[in-house]
Amino acid sequence: MFKKILIANRGEIACRVIKTAKKMGIATVAVYSDADRNALHVKMADEAVHIGPPPANQSYIVIDKIVQAIRETGAEAVHPGYGFLSENMKFAEALEKEGVAFIGPPSGAIEAMGDKITSKKIAQEAGVSTVPGYMGLIADAEEAVRISTEIGYPVMIKASAGGGGKGMRIAWTDQEAREGFESSKNEAANSFGDDRIFIEKFVTTPRHIEIQVLADTHGNCVYLHERECSIQRRNQKVIEEAPSPFLDAATRKAMGEQACALAKAVGYASAGTVEFIVDANKNFYFLEMNTRLQVEHPVTELITGVDLVEQMIRVAAGEPLPFTQDDLTINGWAIESRLYAEDPYRNFLPSIGRLTRYRPPVETAAGPLADAGKWVPAQPGDQPPVAATGVRNDTGVYEGGEISMFYDPMIAKLCTWAPTRDQAIAAMRSALDDFEVEGIGHNLPFLSAVMDHPKFVSGDISTAFIAEEYPEGFQGATLDEAELERVAAAAAAMHRVAEIRRTQITGRLDNHERRVGENWVVTLDGREFPVRVQADKGGSTVQVNGRPLRVESDWRPGQSLGRLTVDGAPLTLKVDRIAAGLRLRTRGTDVKAYVRRPRTAELARLMPEKAAPDTSKFLLCPMPGLVVRINVAAGDEVQEGQSLATVEAMKMENILRAERKGVVKSVNAEAGQSLRVDDVIMEFE
């Protein structure tokens, strides 16, 4: 077994690999750029080597710098994580020349399967069902338009060396094909150092289901069942689960056997993932094979008990797989929610900054997890207690750390396990409620809303779920009347606790005692709820619209998380003080709860509301980023939907379009310029 390995990656996945390496008694080496000098993976590793400036194409994907770090530290093997150099054949070959083990597949398999064009041809030859498309190289945007027209819209434009949603666009028109080709090509070059593009037919209302395979150098190959990855936004996965609520045993077996056949055809050894598109009739089509560890691998580990990182290391060391296909049963259900640094209230645009608060829920082991947190294969017939659930959080950040504009916006991967899907969803709801993140925009509210969405709960989903259910973007979840009353009762009870605290301030005038009244008015989301709060030693009984609600909690002023029981059911609230009340967040809802005396509430109704400034004549930068191009000039007439500028942030290009017809008065930015949120890019007449 190796004594020291280097992790050629950063963030969450680097931390994940380090954890398993430490469990196995293997020393670890981290690499870092200037932006990651104080990153968590650097702190966790036994050694760390600086490799260059923040841009990945000057540090993390420069092969020579990684090789030099190997030489300096004497690492015997390299784990590439995902992204960066993980599917780069030249990197694997460079390690072979150095006599260093690559904790991944052979370079020949990377060449065959890591290239999405070649992999499709091999899949067709192996008899695997594939999506119709053009597998040749595409010279320019006009050729992309011609090919797209021949295939028939809609089409998917994809980077051959891509992954993680980078270099992918769906085009429904010639113009979208032209623009999508250019952006995909640029993203692919910047993220992977390979700008080759291919085009295939886009299957409408599909489900994205993938098979995890694991093979060794002794000819053994198994599949560890499937993952459902249909909840996606801009081709980037947001929520994954294992197993899929859609597949039956026969389809699962057929997909798994095809995945293994494909892996064996290219001499695959290590962990890999074969991705399929599955239609409503359970017909499945091969999309691509990712010759690396997937972001969503934890859900597979949670239902099988197999530590995939450990098995990758053991395979790279020449060991055979310790189990056969018959040993790999499905135990329970697991769900993963990807916590991203992106603001759901601003159309999920990237957000950067410092994490002023980062408090994940407590991790617990259950089901296939051993008591010490080690993943072990589930034994046939194992039935964990019905109430048992597990929480796992894979992360690469910490409170006080910074989210950089140079890398992927992922903050953490929150996973829950339970015996059934409904219980796993319930556990995820609770874990999301307990997760505290402040200082940046993040998608926690959106994740919570999805967990309560009827279509997701039913399992009736497709890759179009987010686009169809949130066509105007996410504006927050809406609570029903009963839930609003529970929140109003909680707000009143917490406000009373704060008022009691204020009456106990020292240094008061003699013979002066302030009493806290019982009657209040709670204003929530534009609604008024007259309440009466009657407290006792065990809590409070709050009359809301004549309905008595019992509120029990040990919350105290200053605590940012309130765990209450209201009307016999738990209610978790993220709490911030505001003038005359509290800001409360729960289950995707963000509301200001004003708690006032009846007379004060009467006067508050007369106060005018401040109007928002008119920015309709400006194109504002929606996120911190780098201007890639400006497509218009002063004096130009633009049409609704026309591309005005492209801004790159967190390795993704964002095309900014005109909301209406107009004339450009002035352009205030230029290509290559770094902008902040709401900086003016151009003004219209």
Side-chain angles (χ1 to χ4, degrees):
M1 182 50 63
F2 308 117
K3 295 181 179 179
K4 181 187 292 187
I5 66 173
L6 182 144
I7 298 95
N9 217 298
R10 63 174 300 281
E12 171 270 322
I13 187 57
C15 296
R16 164 72 187 90
V17 175
I18 291 171
K19 287 180 181 178
T20 287
K22 287 188 174 182
K23 180 185 71 175
M24 298 175 68
I26 301 172
T28 55
V29 179
V31 292
Y32 65 92
S33 68
D34 292 337
D36 282 337
R37 191 174 298 276
N38 297 313
L40 183 60
H41 74 282
V42 175
K43 299 176 184 293
M44 290 179 61
D46 298 298
E47 301 176 61
V49 180
H50 176 252
I51 55 171
N57 58 10
Q58 299 178 43
S59 52
Y60 290 107
I61 62 174
V62 180
I63 294 175
D64 290 344
K65 292 186 175 183
I66 302 297
V67 170
Q68 182 58 38
I70 294 169
R71 292 170 179 167
E72 291 177 9
T73 59
E76 302 167 87
V78 174
H79 197 299
Y82 49 74
F84 293 151
L85 296 171
S86 62
E87 294 178 286
N88 189 306
M89 180 189 65
K90 293 181 180 179
F91 180 54
E93 290 176 341
L95 295 182
E96 288 176 13
K97 291 179 181 179
E98 289 290 316
V100 174
F102 179 63
I103 304 175
S107 58
I110 295 177
E111 181 180 19
M113 299 269 67
D115 184 313
K116 294 175 177 57
I117 295 174
T118 303
S119 69
K120 283 186 176 295
K121 293 178 180 178
I122 294 174
Q124 289 173 342
E125 293 172 359
V128 179
S129 176
T130 59
V131 179
Y134 182 80
M135 297 298 104
L137 297 180
I138 302 170
D140 53 36
E142 294 311 314
E143 186 180 2
V145 170
R146 179 181 61 78
I147 292 169
S148 299
T149 303
E150 291 175 357
I151 294 173
Y153 292 108
V155 298
M156 176 74 83
I157 301 169
K158 303 177 74 171
S160 181
K166 307 298 187 299
M168 298 175 64
R169 293 290 190 281
I170 298 173
W172 296 77
T173 65
D174 288 355
Q175 184 60 26
E176 289 182 358
R178 190 174 291 108
E179 293 175 352
F181 176 82
E182 294 292 350
S183 289
S184 293
K185 195 175 183 70
N186 290 337
E187 286 179 6
N190 292 334
S191 296
F192 314 110
D194 183 342
D195 66 356
R196 291 175 300 157
I197 300 297
F198 71 99
I199 300 176
E200 65 187 12
K201 179 70 176 176
F202 178 67
V203 180
T204 56
T205 62
R207 299 179 81 113
H208 184 130
I209 300 176
E210 59 192 29
I211 301 292
Q212 175 72 60
V213 297
L214 189 60
D216 61 24
T217 56
H218 302 273
N220 302 307
C221 183
V222 297
Y223 62 91
L224 289 85
H225 310 297
E226 81 281 1
R227 296 185 288 258
E228 172 89 51
C229 307
S230 296
I231 306 297
Q232 305 180 4
R233 187 189 55 75
R234 297 175 187 168
N235 302 309
Q236 189 175 59
K237 300 163 189 173
V238 179
I239 295 170
E240 303 98 350
E241 59 183 304
S244 166
F246 183 63
L247 291 192
D248 53 42
T251 307
R252 174 181 296 117
K253 185 174 185 290
M255 292 174 70
E257 289 176 350
Q258 281 199 20
C260 283
L262 192 59
K264 288 181 177 180
V266 293
Y268 200 87
S270 192
T273 298
V274 182
E275 300 193 349
F276 293 92
I277 284 293
V278 184
D279 67 18
N281 296 317
K282 293 187 174 67
N283 298 310
F284 55 89
Y285 305 95
F286 170 74
L287 276 181
E288 61 189 26
M289 182 174 187
N290 291 305
T291 57
R292 54 171 169 81
L293 193 67
Q294 289 282 87
V295 176
E296 57 274 17
H297 75 273
V299 292
T300 295
E301 294 182 327
L302 288 170
I303 66 164
T304 62
V306 176
D307 184 334
L308 290 171
V309 174
E310 178 179 347
Q311 294 307 317
M312 290 179 75
I313 294 172
R314 294 191 180 282
V315 167
E319 296 184 13
L321 297 180
F323 38 71
T324 65
Q325 190 64 59
D326 292 339
D327 297 325
L328 298 170
T329 58
I330 295 176
N331 188 334
W333 213 284
I335 296 176
E336 173 180 292
S337 293
R338 298 192 190 187
L339 176 56
Y340 284 122
E342 55 188 21
D343 191 343
Y345 301 107
R346 294 173 64 96
N347 198 26
F348 298 95
L349 292 171
S351 177
I352 64 173
R354 194 166 298 283
L355 287 165
T356 57
R357 179 177 290 271
Y358 179 75
R359 308 284 173 85
V362 176
E363 295 186 72
T364 57
L369 301 179
D371 293 339
K374 176 184 177 182
W375 290 275
V376 295
Q379 299 302 313
D382 276 1
Q383 292 296 328
V386 173
T389 59
V391 176
R392 169 176 168 179
N393 188 56
D394 287 15
T395 188
V397 303
Y398 56 90
E399 188 167 294
E402 188 174 358
I403 303 298
S404 169
M405 67 177 286
F406 295 102
Y407 310 115
D408 189 272
M410 183 180 292
I411 299 172
K413 302 183 315 195
L414 180 65
C415 304
T416 56
W417 177 93
T420 67
R421 185 172 189 267
D422 287 345
Q423 291 168 339
I425 292 174
M428 180 60 73
R429 292 186 186 122
S430 178
L432 289 168
D433 285 344
D434 287 345
F435 211 136
E436 296 183 78
V437 179
E438 303 292 347
I440 59 168
H442 56 79
N443 66 335
L444 270 176
F446 176 71
L447 296 171
S448 293
V450 172
M451 288 300 132
D452 284 330
H453 197 288
K455 287 193 73 173
F456 176 77
V457 173
S458 71
D460 179 21
I461 55 178
S462 75
T463 56
F465 172 85
I466 293 177
E468 291 176 352
E469 301 303 320
Y470 303 93
E472 304 301 322
F474 179 72
Q475 303 303 322
T478 302
L479 300 180
D480 59 27
E481 183 72 13
E483 196 64 15
L484 275 175
E485 290 181 354
R486 293 180 71 230
V487 173
M494 289 191 291
H495 182 76
R496 183 188 180 280
V497 171
E499 286 293 292
I500 292 293
R501 169 73 64 84
R502 282 188 278 273
T503 66
Q504 298 171 346
I505 296 174
T506 59
R508 295 173 297 172
L509 295 175
D510 291 340
N511 302 318
H512 177 81
E513 184 176 354
R514 180 182 172 192
R515 296 185 179 276
V516 179
E518 293 184 347
N519 296 313
W520 303 86
V521 176
V522 179
T523 304
L524 269 180
D525 204 20
R527 297 276 309 281
E528 287 191 352
F529 296 89
V531 303
R532 185 181 182 187
V533 184
Q534 296 174 298
D536 53 51
K537 291 184 179 180
S540 302
T541 298
V542 183
Q543 294 279 344
V544 184
N545 289 337
R547 176 187 171 198
L549 298 176
R550 182 67 180 172
V551 180
E552 297 177 352
S553 171
D554 59 359
W555 179 85
R556 293 292 178 266
Q559 293 179 345
S560 58
L561 196 66
R563 294 185 176 90
L564 306 92
T565 299
V566 181
D567 197 27
L571 177 64
T572 301
L573 298 169
K574 296 179 176 71
V575 185
D576 293 295
R577 277 298 290 181
I578 58 174
L582 302 165
R583 178 192 177 195
L584 303 175
R585 287 168 288 172
T586 182
R587 294 291 171 84
T589 301
D590 189 338
V591 295
K592 293 179 180 178
Y594 297 102
V595 187
R596 303 181 176 105
R597 300 276 191 182
R599 176 57 178 163
T600 307
E602 183 181 341
L603 296 174
R605 298 187 201 109
L606 305 177
M607 295 294 290
E609 292 187 11
K610 183 179 179 181
D614 182 11
T615 60
S616 60
K617 292 187 176 181
F618 299 95
L619 175 65
L620 305 179
C621 188
M623 82 291 283
L626 182 73
V627 179
V628 176
R629 68 181 70 88
I630 300 292
N631 298 329
V632 296
D636 287 357
E637 181 176 320
V638 299
Q639 304 298 319
E640 181 180 353
Q642 182 177 336
S643 174
L644 303 175
T646 302
V647 177
E648 179 186 318
M650 292 180 169
K651 301 195 291 182
M652 295 289 283
E653 286 196 358
N654 301 274
I655 298 176
L656 309 183
R657 303 182 184 277
E659 294 184 355
R660 62 183 67 86
K661 182 179 179 180
V663 177
V664 179
K665 180 179 180 181
S666 63
V667 178
N668 299 47
E670 60 184 15
Q673 183 177 348
S674 293
L675 300 179
R676 298 168 298 181
V677 174
D678 291 339
D679 276 353
V680 177
I681 297 176
M682 61 186 68
E683 183 179 357
F684 303 96
E685 293 182 358

